[in-house]
Amino acid sequence: MGPQHLRPVQLFWLLGAISTLPRAGALLCYEATSSRFRAVAFYNWKWLLMRNMVCKLKEGCEETLVFIETGTSRGVVGFKGCSPSPSYPAQVSYLVSPPGVSIASYSRVCRSYLCNNLTNLEPFVKLKASAPKFVTSTSHSCPTCVGEHLKDCLPNFVTTSFCPLAASTCYSSTLKLQAGFLNTTFLLMGCAREYNQLLADFHHIGSIKVTEVLNILEKSQIVGAGSSRQGPAWGVLLGLLFVFRD
């Protein structure tokens, strides 16, 4: 029986299949992004792992999550993919600690087959358990929200909360987080220790690039919004004064 020749279509599919195989020494890692700002709870949030990718030689698998909490609102932004960074074990900590607006991060880079496989918020559950439980409140109140300007932080979704004694300044910023296919911009409002950039010392969280721009607030609003009966719409309008433009 003579040699069998591949048809052009068969050759095309064979070459395609070969191109997706991991190269010698290259890792296969999960590829995913997350950006969720409503109905985020510690025990119902799941990170679906449906895609994977072949990394370049010497790259590792990264997974980085950012957890934001302000009043009763929570948000989660995350990235999974290949990373040229050296391996490091799971690191979870507060970048901005409570009371008031808090921002926590979880990140690691590993070098084994599909090792970036975190699917829940368990690291933040343990971190929050170590935070102080009793917080003294003041008579000052601020609008609180985290989410997209024209979706999650519309007036109906903005609440007004009394501020803790240690964080009685109203804060509002527009944050942009970027990494790979992750590109999300959102509004963050709440009580803070002072009216400065909260993430001024963190230009990157893992591979996630962080850009923070303070929104415009009047002086009287910065020191406290006063009665909680005040309507929340003004806070949203102020937040819209400074929006990132691509």
Side-chain angles (χ1 to χ4, degrees), residues 138-144 159-163 170 191 220-221 223-235:
T138 69
S139 60
H140 292 304
S141 60
C142 297
T144 59
T159 60
T160 306
S161 304
F162 286 109
C163 293
C170 289
C191 303
S220 61
Q221 293 161 342
V223 298
S227 171
S228 63
R229 292 188 296 271
Q230 223 172 344
W234 67 268

Side-chain angles (χ1 to χ4, degrees), residues 165-180:
L165 182 62
S168 57
T169 299
C170 289
Y171 164 90
S172 176
S173 75
T174 301
L175 287 165
K176 187 169 188 176
L177 304 184
Q178 298 171 287

Side-chain angles (χ1 to χ4, degrees), residues 29 55 58-62 79 81-86 88 109 111 207:
C29 301
C55 297
K58 298 184 179 181
E59 285 188 330
C61 302
E62 178 181 341
F79 163 79
C82 300
S83 172
S85 300
Y88 55 86
V109 173
R111 279 176 164 76
S207 291

Side-chain angles (χ1 to χ4, degrees), residues 28 52 161 226:
L28 193 65
N52 53 59
S161 304

